[in-house]
Amino acid sequence: MCFLRSEGRGEEAAEVEDRELAEAVAEARRSSESDAEANALLSALCAEGEQRVADAIAFAEILLPMLAQVMRPPLTAAARAAESPRQRKPSAEKSGEAREIADFIDEMLAQDRTGNR
Amino acid sequence: MPTATVEKQPALLDSPLAAPPASSRPAAPKGAVLLIGLDLGTNKSCVLAGAQGSTDIVVSKVVPSVVGYVKDGIVDGIITGNARILYGEEALRQMLHADLAAPLAEGVIARPEAARDFLLHIRTLADPTGRADIRAVVGVPANAGEPAREQIRRSAQGIFSRILLIPEPFLAALGFRDDSRVKQPGYVDPVVNSLFIDIGGGTSDLCLVQGYFPTHDDQVSIPFAGDAIDEIIYNELGRTYPNNGLSRITVREIKEAHAYVGPSRKPLEVKVVIGGKSRTLELGDAIGNACNTLIDRIYPALTSLIEAASSDSVVTLLQNIIITGGGSQIRGIDTVLQKRLTDDGYESPKVRLAGQDFRRYVAIGALKAARAARENQWQVLLS
């Protein structure tokens, strides 16, 4: 559920919350001696779930650029030159025409990942 | 909770950006996504808000970036609603009864607790019901480092559900772009080829915007802007008119009314009240020298960015140098920069001011970005 929310899949998260979580909550309440004990158990489970998702996202953000670097085939000198920031830029007059704002955001996020900002 | 005074510019009220009064706004349904474009400024912040999937803007406000913590022992009824925390204009009005805290310095969060309170206030302005799921695009200074970005994310946790941090000059270009004219022949799209100079309170940010997302090399952030000018004027006044008793807020008001660059403008007489008596001060040199320092600081960055542009784009770029932010209100700043470029041999440079919405362009661009962002581009703030 936490993962679905982090992915923006709110409807699916709500579905899980309404069905599977509701069943799990009911089961926890049945098997606990008191409401307080059940609430504490559920809070701990939720906190653990959120922490795991946060850790996984942070781990993926660190790991992805490293993997990309490791798996990239060796570049020729010419290709390396083409990869340099100045060369990689699209021609100013042509590039803006069909570009969406979301494409710019993608570029920004890519720069974030590679530390080029 | 008192609301901050809203600075409404008459022209804006007639524009599509004008927001309807809060009373006429439908309450956001629980869980409905509300998008916010936020220019979190050192001195003033601007917030625009609108529903997802709509082009309407339901909130458009400029708020002084200040939080006032009401002092202990204030008699009941002095502060409206006996509030303990005040924001924006209300905090400034009650400065005798409150400890003022500026959440930001030099464009980044300096007082995390005040920043969090201020963001809570921004949220309340955008969604008085407190029911909406808020996603915010927040402008950050060009080249803001990861610690500064992380501080914003931390302050926004539990207030916004998702966030995107985007450099302010790029947002200014997006905001300045007239989307209805982008495909018209002859319209020069600022996102395709321009150089933005965004002069705020804490930083002056310069940015090459050339049809791709600006890289580190395309942006310069200088920690010299409105506040630094205030400081120079304040110190000069203290030297020329000892014990004048003028506060920094008064000095800022004087600057905002009389700032200029270029040759000395004298006489520039300003009436102030000192010790209860009216006095006229000659401030031509104090204001001129302070503001000209700004030119000296930003000009080298401007020329270094121009020289970094590719040779096939630089001629058009020189026609599209745009100044925005509070510093764009300094008289003569466009002509002085243009003349200096011309004198230095640059090809027909044209420097212009962004115009009357100078306080809003970053927030306008931020809201456009919020509306365009794909679902997987948002950063989730786990509360």
Side-chain angles (χ1 to χ4, degrees):
Chain A
M1 207 172 71
C2 295
F3 176 73
L4 288 171
R5 286 215 177 97
S6 77
E7 287 287 292
R9 292 154 65 185
E11 285 183 12
E12 290 172 66
E15 202 170 300
V16 173
E17 186 173 3
D18 290 345
R19 289 188 188 171
E20 293 172 39
L21 181 67
E23 285 169 16
V25 168
E27 180 57 35
R29 293 200 187 285
R30 274 196 296 275
S31 60
S32 299
E33 290 185 0
S34 67
D35 277 356
E37 187 188 330
N39 288 340
L41 178 67
L42 290 169
S43 297
L45 281 173
C46 285
E48 188 188 347
E50 284 183 357
Q51 188 58 48
R52 284 176 61 196
V53 171
D55 288 348
I57 290 170
F59 183 62
E61 282 177 355
I62 294 167
L63 197 62
L64 268 176
M66 292 167 70
L67 280 173
Q69 190 69 32
V70 168
M71 296 173 75
R72 196 162 64 166
L75 294 176
T76 62
R80 267 198 299 277
E83 279 281 298
S84 73
R86 280 281 156 220
Q87 294 294 320
R88 194 158 28 83
K89 290 172 183 175
S91 160
E93 298 298 333
K94 293 174 187 168
S95 56
E97 289 171 6
R99 313 202 69 218
E100 302 288 342
I101 294 173
D103 297 331
F104 290 117
I105 297 173
D106 268 342
E107 286 180 13
M108 180 189 80
L109 296 173
Q111 287 180 23
D112 282 347
R113 282 193 291 272
T114 55
N116 186 25
R117 196 149 52 75
Chain B
M1 188 179 290
T3 52
T5 297
V6 177
E7 178 198 306
K8 287 277 187 197
Q9 296 176 351
L12 189 75
L13 292 171
D14 299 329
S15 81
L17 283 174
S23 57
S24 69
R25 271 186 259 140
K30 190 170 183 357
V33 173
L34 186 67
L35 301 173
I36 282 183
L38 177 59
D39 178 3
L40 198 54
T42 304
N43 291 328
K44 287 195 170 76
S45 294
C46 177
V47 55
L48 300 182
Q52 197 176 36
S54 154
T55 55
D56 292 344
I57 293 175
V58 295
V59 174
S60 171
K61 294 184 176 180
V62 175
V63 189
S65 305
V66 62
V67 180
Y69 296 97
V70 176
K71 293 172 182 171
D72 290 337
I74 300 296
V75 177
D76 277 6
I78 296 284
I79 308 290
T80 311
N82 292 324
R84 300 304 304 159
I85 306 180
L86 308 172
Y87 305 94
E89 293 286 1
E90 182 67 15
L92 294 174
R93 262 196 300 275
Q94 300 287 358
M95 61 195 302
L96 284 180
H97 306 120
D99 294 319
L100 298 187
L104 290 97
E106 295 185 357
V108 299
I109 288 176
R111 307 271 300 264
E113 200 172 310
R116 193 165 170 76
D117 287 332
F118 190 69
L119 289 178
L120 273 167
H121 178 60
I122 293 291
R123 191 204 148 100
T124 306
L125 291 177
D127 173 35
T129 67
R131 293 154 60 95
D133 173 19
I134 307 268
R135 299 180 180 186
V137 170
V138 182
V140 293
N143 297 341
E146 186 50 32
R149 291 161 167 268
E150 182 57 23
Q151 190 62 66
I152 294 174
R153 286 191 281 263
R154 271 194 205 150
S155 298
Q157 266 183 343
I159 299 171
F160 306 141
S161 68
R162 289 164 195 240
I163 200 167
L164 257 179
L165 306 178
I166 299 181
E168 286 160 3
F170 182 74
L171 291 178
L174 274 186
F176 186 69
R177 175 196 232 180
D178 184 345
D179 296 321
S180 66
R181 296 181 58 203
V182 165
K183 289 182 179 167
Q184 285 179 5
Y187 178 69
V188 182
D189 183 350
V191 176
V192 173
N193 198 2
S194 65
L195 198 160
F196 265 77
I197 305 172
D198 180 10
I199 304 168
T203 60
S204 297
D205 294 335
L206 294 86
C207 182
L208 270 178
V209 184
Q210 295 202 289
Y212 54 85
F213 194 84
T215 66
H216 181 275
D217 297 340
D218 298 321
Q219 305 179 69
V220 179
S221 185
I222 301 165
F224 188 99
D227 290 351
I229 294 174
D230 294 349
E231 189 67 16
I232 293 174
I233 297 173
Y234 182 85
N235 291 335
E236 179 61 19
L237 280 175
R239 199 179 61 78
T240 318
Y241 302 99
N243 305 317
N244 59 61
L246 297 175
S247 71
R248 281 183 161 76
I249 291 173
T250 304
V251 169
R252 184 190 299 166
E253 287 169 356
I254 290 171
K255 177 202 69 180
E256 287 177 353
H258 301 284
Y260 75 92
V261 288
S264 180
R265 296 185 185 189
K266 288 168 84 172
L268 198 166
E269 294 177 335
V270 179
K271 275 193 176 175
V272 294
V273 177
I274 299 175
K277 296 177 182 174
S278 180
R279 282 191 63 182
T280 300
L281 309 182
E282 170 49 54
L283 299 183
D285 284 340
I287 292 176
N289 291 340
C291 294
N292 280 317
T293 307
L294 175 71
I295 297 285
D296 293 338
R297 295 295 296 270
I298 63 178
Y299 188 74
L302 173 63
T303 53
S304 71
L305 286 179
I306 292 171
E307 284 157 20
S310 65
S311 57
D312 58 349
S313 68
V314 72
V315 173
T316 310
L317 176 75
L318 282 165
Q319 298 287 307
N320 265 317
I321 300 171
I322 298 155
I323 308 175
T324 187
S328 67
Q329 299 305 290
I330 297 173
R331 288 178 189 81
I333 192 164
D334 50 344
T335 50
V336 165
L337 280 175
Q338 183 170 307
K339 182 173 185 309
R340 201 181 267 202
L341 287 169
T342 305
D343 291 348
D344 281 351
Y346 289 95
E347 182 66 30
S348 307
K350 187 174 177 188
V351 180
R352 60 195 165 119
L353 307 178
Q356 62 179 7
D357 268 346
F358 66 93
R359 285 200 201 288
R360 289 179 160 80
Y361 286 122
V362 170
I364 294 168
L367 186 57
K368 285 183 185 177
R371 287 191 154 135
R374 298 187 189 108
E375 202 61 30
N376 64 354
Q377 291 176 326
W378 290 98
Q379 292 179 305
V380 178
L381 294 172
L382 297 175
S383 53

